[in-house]
Amino acid sequence: MVSPELLLGGLTAGLVVGSLYGLAALGLSIIWGILRVVNLSHGAVIALSMYVAYLLSVEYGYPLLASVLISIFFGFVLGMVAYYLFVHKVLGGPELASLLSTFGFGLIILGTLQLKFGGIARTLPVTTATIEVGHVPIRMVQVVGAVIAIAVAIAAYLLIYRTWFGRAVRAVVMNQEAAALMGVNVTKVLMLSFALGLLFASTAGTLLALSYSFTPETGSMYELYSFTIVVLGGLGNPLGSLIGGIILGIAEQLTSIVASGSWGPLVAFVLLLVMLVIKPTGLFAKL
C-alpha cells in the first residue's frame, strides 16, 4: 500500500521530470506536425546536446551556464544546416526517403559521439540542493529545468498561435502553394521550423544532462518517450506535448514507487499502445 506522502512525492517528481520529457517531445512534434517528417535523428540530437555541454564545461573549462547556453543555441544552428543537407531535397517525396535521410543523419551523430567519447557514462559538474517531497528526493536543478521546460512550451504555443510566423506556419501546413501565393516564403518557414525542432530537442537534452548521466545511446530512450508523448498530445501541439510528457512522467514515477525505475520504457510502450487503440489522434488537436 502506497502512503499518501509517497504518492504526493511521486506525483511531484513525475511533474518535474515529465515537463522535461514534454520539452524533448515538442521538438519531434513540431517537425512531424509541420514538415510531415518523422525525424529519426531526434534521439541523437538530444545526446549530441548533452555532449556539447560536457565538452565545453568539462574538457574546455567553460563556465557551466555558458556551456548550457551554447549547447542550446548549437541545436538551432545545427537544425538550419541539417535541413538543407538532409531534409529539403526529400520533402514531398516518399516517406521512406525522409526516414532514411534523418536516420542517416542520426547515425552520423551517434558514430561521431562513439568515436570521441566511447560508451562510458558522463556527467556535468553540477552542485545543487535536494528537497524531499513525500520522502521522494528531488534535485533543485530538476525543478529549475521543469520551470524552463514549461516556459518554453508556453512560448512555443504563443509563437505558433499568436504571431505572424505562427500564421505563416499554419498556412504552410494547410496548403503550401496557397501560402506561397500569399507571399509566404515556404522554404524559409520549413527551415526555421526544423531548426526550432532541434532547438527544443537540444534544450531538453542539455537540461536532462544537468540531472542525469548519459552515454551516446541515452538519446534513444528519450526518442521512444518522445514518440509516445507525441501520440498522447497530438502532432505539433506544444501544450499537448507538455501535458503528454507530464502524464508519462507521473506514470513512470508511480511505477518506480510500486515496482522499479527500470520499468520506465515499459510504461512508455504500454501508454503508446493504449493511445493507439483508444485515441490515435492524441488528446489534443493537431496543428
Side-chain angles (χ1 to χ4, degrees), residues 53-142:
Y54 172 84
L55 189 69
L56 293 172
S57 62
V58 176
E59 299 202 2
Y60 292 156
Y62 281 58
L64 183 61
L65 179 59
S67 303
V68 167
L69 294 176
I70 293 172
S71 173
I72 291 171
F73 181 69
F74 176 76
F76 185 75
V77 176
L78 178 67
M80 290 192 289
V81 176
Y83 171 81
Y84 287 109
L85 292 178
F86 298 98
V87 177
H88 182 66
K89 290 184 178 178
V90 297
L91 283 180
E95 290 184 358
L96 182 60
S98 62
L99 287 174
L100 290 176
S101 184
T102 56
F103 182 66
F105 176 42
L107 286 182
I108 292 172
I109 294 174
L110 288 177
T112 304
L113 293 178
Q114 287 283 4
L115 281 174
K116 170 65 179 173
F117 300 101
I120 301 173
R122 315 279 176 157
T123 57
L124 292 180
V126 179
T127 303
T128 180
T130 300
I131 59 174
E132 279 200 4
V133 180
H135 308 300
V136 175
I138 301 173
R139 302 177 72 195
M140 284 305 297
V141 70
Q142 292 176 300

Side-chain angles (χ1 to χ4, degrees), residues 171-217:
V172 169
V173 170
M174 286 188 285
N175 190 315
Q176 293 190 12
E177 292 183 358
L181 290 173
M182 295 297 292
V184 175
N185 187 330
V186 175
T187 299
K188 187 176 181 180
V189 167
L190 293 176
M191 180 271 290
L192 289 175
S193 299
F194 190 80
L196 276 176
L198 265 61
L199 172 68
F200 296 140
S202 63
T203 304
T206 305
L207 294 176
L208 286 164
L210 294 172
S211 303
Y212 306 100
S213 61
F214 51 89
T215 70
E217 301 300 328

Side-chain angles (χ1 to χ4, degrees), residues 3 40 127 228 263 276:
S3 67
L40 294 184
T127 303
T228 303
W263 286 43
L276 286 174

